[in-house]
Structures are given as C-alpha cells and as structure tokens.
Amino acid sequence: MTTSLPRQDRIRRALELLRHETTDKFDEIIPFEPGEFTDPILAKDERDHVFGRVPSIVAHSSELAKANDFITVTMPRNNIIVVRQKDGGVKSFVNLCRHRGALLEESEKGRCRIFSCGYHRWSYDPDGSLRTITRDSTFGDVDRGDHGLIEIPTEERHGFIWVVDNAKEDIDVAAWLGPEIDGILAEYELDKSVCFRAGGFDEPTNWKIMQDAFLDGYHIQYAHPNTAGKIIHTNVMAFEDFGRHCRFIAPRKSIDRFLEEDPGDENLDKYVTETHFLLPNSTLLRQPDHFQLLTFRPHPTDPTKSRMEQRLIVPTVEDSGMAQERWERLWNKNWEILLAVLHNEDFPLLRDSQRGMGSADAGDMLLGRNEIANQVFRREIKKLVATGRSNIG
Ligand code: FES
Ligand SMILES: [Fe+2]
C-alpha cells in the first residue's frame, strides 16, 4: 500500500522525472491478444462480473438537482432510470413496465411526477411503486407491492451517483474506493461544483480500447501534435498504484521554466494535470481550475461497441466570482475544444484500432512498462473477471 506524498512533493517528483526524461514504470512488459477486445464471451463476463458487481458512476449529482429529476442510462446489463427522490435521496430502477415489459421512459432526461407507460398506461411513482393499473376492475387482482419497478443499488457520494448494475447486489461506494481514493475524492468537494455539460458518444469501439486511450500518456505528442501535445508532456507520469484505483501527475509544458531553475516554495498546481483512474471505467482529470470526468461503458450485447460520456465539472457561477455570461462563454469554449480533440483526433484512431483487432491473424501485442496506468487497468479488470468466473464455476 502506498503512503501518499503531499501534492507539492508529488508535483516535484514529476518535475524530477521530466528532468531525467523518464517516467514511473510497471514491473514488466505484458503481451495481450486482440480477443480481449472482440470476444463475446469475455464481453459478457465483463458485463456480469465487472459492471454487475462493482459501483460505477452514472452522473454528477447536479444533473439531478431537484426532486423527480431523472435520467435514463443504458448500462451494460440493464436499461435504468435514475431518479431524485422527494427526501433528497437517489434511486434507480430497471426502465421497464412490470405489466408487459414496455420501455417505461424514453427520454434521456427530464422531471416527472409519475412514470406512465405508453402501452396500456399503467403508472409508477418516482419511488418505483406501482400507482395505477388502468381498468383494474377487469384486469384482476394484483398485489401492487410486488409489482413496483425493480430497484438497482444506487448511492450518492462525493458529488457523483454510482450504481451496481445488478438488482441482486448491494452497494458500498466507500468500501469499493478504499480509504485513499475515498479520502482524495472527499477533499475535492465535487458535490459543491456543477456539471456544466454532459455529452455521450456511441462509438464502434470496445470500451477498454476507449478507456485505455484516456489513461495513456505515451500517445500525446504523436496523436495530438497540435492540441494536447503542445500543452502536456508526453510519457512522463508520477504514478501511484492504490491496488485497485490509481492516479498520476503529468507535467504541463509550462513547467519547463523550472527545468533549470529551482521552483523553491512556489505552488506548482497550475503546471500539472492529475489523472485518477477509478476502477472499473472512469478517468477523473483534475485540471488547474476544473475537473473532467470520462466514463466508458460496454454495449449491452456487442463487444465492438461502447458509449463514452464526458462531463465538465466546474465551480458554480457564484463560487467562480464571474458574471454568468463570462462563465458560460469560458466553459462553452472549453467544452468545444475538448469535443474537437475527441472527434477529430482520438475517435478515428480508436475506431481503426478496433478494426485492426478484428483481423484473424492479428497476433499478440505489447503493453510497455511506461504504460503503467493501462497496465493497472488491464490487471484489475482481469482480476474481477477471474474472481467472478471462479465464484460461479
Ligand atoms: S406494458 Fe406497460 S401498461 Fe402494459
Ligand atoms: Fe488522446
């Protein structure tokens, strides 16, 4: 178990790595096979033993600000509705009418006092209970308590809404995060920020190829020469492995002024990006003045498809001290830049990567020692799948 250095010391360690033109490294080079991104049996095991077992983030709390606010999410195992309750809590339900299984709510988001089924108009309260059976004198006697919406374990913590995509499991986010990451997230007070914008992208690419690209400090100057490559150093990571989750500091090019000169006591926060990998499927980026959350979800049936969501999480207008209009202009511009990099630079490369993996004779490939966050991601997903398989077998 790692004992963490204070942030300024961790940044100085990243500077030291940069001075020596090196990075923290994994123990060994690991070979891997293309089947990891194409095999339908493995994909099912990941849905069941990863997403059906452990918590993953589906939204920022501010996206469900008021009672009855809801979003719908296609999880790997269930279509769900996530709803803010009257008492301030959050619940999730399988998005399916208990009469004959129509999809209950089609909208991606909204505010709703009842969920009303389009097929025969049964309706449900936001707490999932069955409220109306239309023409119930002819339908026959139904135990309503038994036919409410099916609940999916859900918890709100550190400003995020987490679910375990399995009605039969429990959820304990603090236990899953472990004391280090739980403490780190608590410090950020992300519950006091707002999600300025959330966007989802359905891509013809395995979710792990997608997730890998957003843990990768090795591709920056090659795949993003005129954008991120101009701002962030390539292949320099001051890394911490928390056994399940991990985080790393990458120096920005603005730190170069301290390559020769000692920064003394200067606060170096603005010279780095800190990346947190939250197993199983999130990258949380701490930028000097905001956070960015990236999540990656497998498609419910097809191993070659996934959905990425991006969230820009920023200080509220009040906390920023900016006028509303300036605040909006700033974060809109930021959002547009992020989107352009994704659509023009990352996505085309990753789609083609998926096509490449489809070759019958692709052969095996390599994950280097410098690709340390990718190594941890792969190691931990393999562990979850193996544990799930052995529990069943
Ligand atoms: S399927 Fe929903 S009311 Fe019949
Ligand atoms: Fe990239």
Side-chain angles (χ1 to χ4, degrees), residues 33-291:
E33 293 184 355
E36 294 185 24
F37 308 99
T38 58
D39 178 10
I41 295 167
L42 175 62
K44 173 154 177 28
D45 282 345
E46 287 171 355
R47 295 193 296 272
D48 289 345
H49 305 320
V50 178
F51 292 87
R53 287 275 318 288
V54 309
S56 63
I57 299 173
V58 295
H60 185 259
S61 298
S62 63
E63 294 170 73
L64 301 173
K66 302 226 165 80
N68 304 336
D69 281 353
F70 72 84
I71 55 167
T72 57
V73 186
T74 306
M75 291 299 288
R77 303 178 79 245
N78 290 290
N79 293 306
I80 65 171
I81 314 179
V82 187
V83 203
R84 176 75 63 188
Q85 302 293 299
K86 270 204 212 80
D87 67 3
V90 180
K91 290 189 174 191
S92 304
F93 306 101
V94 178
N95 185 5
L96 168 138
C97 174
R98 298 297 305 284
H99 172 220
R100 275 182 28 214
L103 188 75
L104 186 58
E105 180 54 61
E106 287 171 16
S107 322
E108 270 184 34
K109 59 181 178 179
R111 183 173 300 159
C112 212
R113 288 199 344 268
I114 53 166
F115 294 105
S116 169
C117 180
Y119 203 172
H120 315 88
R121 203 60 79 206
W122 284 27
S123 68
Y124 301 84
D125 284 319
D127 68 358
S129 48
L130 174 57
R131 178 189 181 113
T132 326
I133 295 176
T134 38
R135 303 185 187 237
D136 59 349
S137 62
T138 60
F139 190 86
D141 278 340
V142 174
D143 180 351
R144 289 181 191 224
D146 254 5
H147 290 83
L149 301 179
I150 302 212
E151 192 162 346
I152 295 293
T154 303
E155 187 182 331
E156 190 169 25
R157 191 169 178 85
H158 304 314
F160 293 116
I161 296 163
W162 311 69
V163 308
V164 176
D165 185 17
N166 185 343
K168 296 185 182 71
E169 287 284 340
D170 295 321
I171 187 162
D172 182 345
V173 175
W176 172 248
L177 293 176
E180 295 96 346
I181 286 281
D182 195 57
I184 289 164
L185 293 184
E187 246 174 63
Y188 294 160
E189 300 192 316
L190 291 168
D191 53 330
K192 298 194 175 117
S193 300
V194 287
C195 179
F196 175 76
R197 189 158 308 166
F201 321 104
D202 292 302
E203 283 295 306
T205 308
N206 182 277
W207 72 283
K208 291 175 295 178
I209 291 181
M210 297 288 286
Q211 172 70 76
D212 266 329
F214 298 88
L215 297 173
D216 180 322
Y218 183 27
H219 76 298
I220 302 171
Q221 85 179 76
Y222 311 109
H224 307 294
N226 300 312
T227 51
K230 286 214 154 75
I231 299 168
I232 301 181
H233 278 289
T234 299
N235 210 36
V236 183
M237 279 184 184
F239 190 84
E240 288 168 281
D241 185 348
F242 297 116
R244 182 182 278 167
H245 317 283
C246 58
R247 71 170 168 179
F248 52 92
I249 285 186
R252 296 175 157 238
K253 292 206 165 165
S254 54
I255 208 170
D256 290 3
R257 49 188 289 212
F258 298 118
L259 282 175
E260 311 283 318
E261 170 203 339
D262 186 332
D265 287 343
E266 180 159 344
N267 181 311
L268 300 181
D269 282 358
K270 64 171 183 281
Y271 302 107
V272 299
T273 293
E274 188 157 31
T275 305
H276 310 69
F277 170 58
L278 307 177
L279 187 69
N281 71 331
S282 298
T283 293
L284 178 69
L285 294 153
R286 176 185 184 180
Q287 304 290 9
D289 55 354
H290 69 281
F291 287 81

